[in-house]
Amino acid sequence: MTTKEERLSFLEEMKDVRRIRKPNRAEVTTPRELTPGHLERQRAAVEKPLRDTNPLTSDMVEPLTAHDVLSWQRPGVQHGVFRKLRLGQYPIEARLDLHRMTVEQSRREVFRFIGDCVRYGLRSVIILHGKGERNPDGIAQLKSYLAKWLPELDDVLAFHSAQKHHGGTGAVYVMVRKSDRDKQHNREIHGSR
């Protein structure tokens, strides 16, 4: 509670204050004239359409069912390394969940995810794509595309459908290559080449 004396003191201090007559609203009208920068950006946008750097195809793929097992390895991947990947013996360092995504959204996310894995030095990851059992035609759409996309990425060394406790045929283990920085670090430690 304030006393009468405090209120009078406050009013005395505020006697010269005037109300702002301008309304408290933002100017939302757009300027009518186009600046040279605006015209240049407009011209550049029309001349050069945005180039998609994502190499993953969105063409038709061979349809897979919910229970098909995904398995692929690049030449040069050792048998023992692939076996450990297949059995889920590597720790999962990151995961990407594609459930409820469209094919186009998944295409962008897979490309971005694998690139991020290389950048941050993540070698063993899992991608959850779902089994597609609820599809009326029985085709696992995302799984089918993923089976085509992963070999198209140079950064992917191998992949295999996950073990039951990690999602079974609704998920895939992915082995990602080392980043150039990590390769250099290994060379420095072990003194080779």
Side-chain angles (χ1 to χ4, degrees), residues 20-162:
I20 298 174
R21 295 287 175 211
K22 198 169 187 183
N24 191 14
R25 291 189 186 140
E27 286 282 330
V28 291
T29 58
T30 55
R32 296 279 181 231
E33 61 195 56
L34 297 175
T35 64
H38 183 83
L39 293 171
E40 181 60 28
R41 284 191 300 276
Q42 229 177 17
R43 186 187 60 73
V46 171
E47 279 182 12
K48 285 190 249 173
L50 189 61
R51 218 177 101 238
D52 188 10
T53 57
N54 187 339
L56 302 179
T57 59
S58 51
D59 300 337
M60 290 304 296
V61 294
E62 180 185 331
L64 300 173
T65 66
H67 302 292
D68 289 336
V69 174
L70 300 182
S71 183
W72 178 86
Q73 72 184 76
R74 206 169 283 287
V77 173
Q78 295 174 353
H79 175 71
V81 170
F82 185 68
R83 182 176 171 276
K84 279 183 79 171
L85 177 75
R86 181 173 48 87
L87 296 174
Q89 294 177 346
Y90 288 113
I92 296 171
E93 298 173 305
R95 73 181 59 238
L96 172 65
D97 191 350
L98 300 177
H99 285 95
R100 306 231 185 279
M101 287 190 192
T102 64
V103 170
E104 187 55 35
Q105 289 170 329
S106 298
R107 179 179 161 282
R108 285 192 305 268
E109 287 301 314
V110 167
F111 180 66
R112 188 176 304 134
F113 179 69
I114 297 297
D116 286 348
C117 289
V118 172
R119 193 172 306 110
Y120 296 116
L122 306 175
R123 303 286 315 282
S124 176
V125 299
I126 190 167
I127 299 177
L128 309 170
H129 49 73
K131 293 183 181 179
E133 289 177 315
R134 293 187 203 113
N135 291 349
D137 54 5
I139 295 173
Q141 190 98 21
L142 290 180
K143 181 180 188 175
S144 303
Y145 276 98
L146 205 57
K148 178 150 176 51
W149 291 338
L150 291 176
E152 291 177 358
L153 293 169
D154 292 336
D155 296 332
V156 173
L157 297 177
F159 62 86
H160 195 282
S161 289

